[in-house]
Amino acid sequence: MEENFLVFYYADRIKAFLIETLRVFDFYLELEKSEDLEKLMLQVLKSSQKEVNLAKSVCSKIDWARLCFMEVSQKIEEGVSHFTVGNHENLKESFRLALSKVSTCAGKALDIMENEGS
C-alpha cells in the first residue's frame, strides 16, 4: 500500500505542477517576448521534467508506475521541443496529454489502494 501511496502522491504532485505550468504558459503568451523571458519559460517547462524524473526515481521498482511516468516524461519532452521551435499549440497539446496520463496514473494508484483496503 505504501508503494501505491507514493505513486499517487507523485502523480498528484506532477498533475498540479503541469496545471500551473500551463497557466504560466498562457500568461507567457500574452507578454511581450524577449530572450530572457523565453529562457525563463523554458526553465519553467523543464522543471516539469525534473518533477517527473523524481517520481520515476522514487517509484522505479513499481513497473506499471515507472512505465506511466516514462510516458508522461516523453510527452513533456515533446512539449519542450515544440517550445524551442515556437510551436505553442503542440506544446500545450503535449502537456495536456502528459496531464491526462499522470491523472490516469494517480487514479490507478488510488484504485489499487482502495482494493487493497477491502
Side-chain angles (χ1 to χ4, degrees):
M1 180 145 172
E2 287 180 20
E3 287 180 339
N4 292 305
F5 178 77
L6 282 175
V7 173
F8 175 78
Y9 170 77
Y10 281 102
D12 198 52
R13 179 176 159 151
I14 292 166
K15 187 170 76 169
F17 201 92
L18 290 174
I19 289 169
E20 195 57 35
T21 300
L22 285 169
R23 285 184 191 153
V24 168
F25 185 71
D26 283 339
F27 184 70
Y28 160 84
L29 291 174
E30 295 175 13
L31 298 174
E32 187 176 322
K33 303 300 180 275
S34 72
E35 188 175 321
D36 288 338
L37 181 60
E38 196 166 314
K39 287 178 184 178
L40 177 62
M41 190 67 232
L42 182 59
Q43 289 308 307
V44 170
L45 296 171
K46 286 182 175 183
S47 64
S48 298
Q49 187 65 43
K50 290 177 184 176
E51 285 294 309
V52 177
N53 288 342
L54 177 61
K56 284 192 310 189
S57 177
V58 170
C59 301
S60 64
K61 293 187 185 324
I62 308 165
D63 290 336
W64 69 267
R66 187 181 70 253
L67 293 173
C68 177
F69 290 133
M70 285 173 58
E71 290 176 8
V72 172
S73 178
Q74 180 184 14
K75 289 299 170 192
I76 291 172
E77 284 179 26
E78 288 173 11
V80 171
S81 293
H82 290 306
F83 178 79
T84 60
V85 297
N87 191 336
H88 298 151
E89 280 308 309
N90 283 348
L91 174 147
K92 290 170 85 173
E93 183 61 22
S94 292
F95 269 66
R96 285 186 199 112
L97 289 170
L99 182 58
S100 176
K101 288 181 181 301
V102 80
S103 295
T104 300
C105 185
K108 182 173 181 174
L110 194 58
D111 286 345
I112 292 170
M113 287 188 296
E114 288 174 350
N115 288 332
E116 287 177 348
S118 301

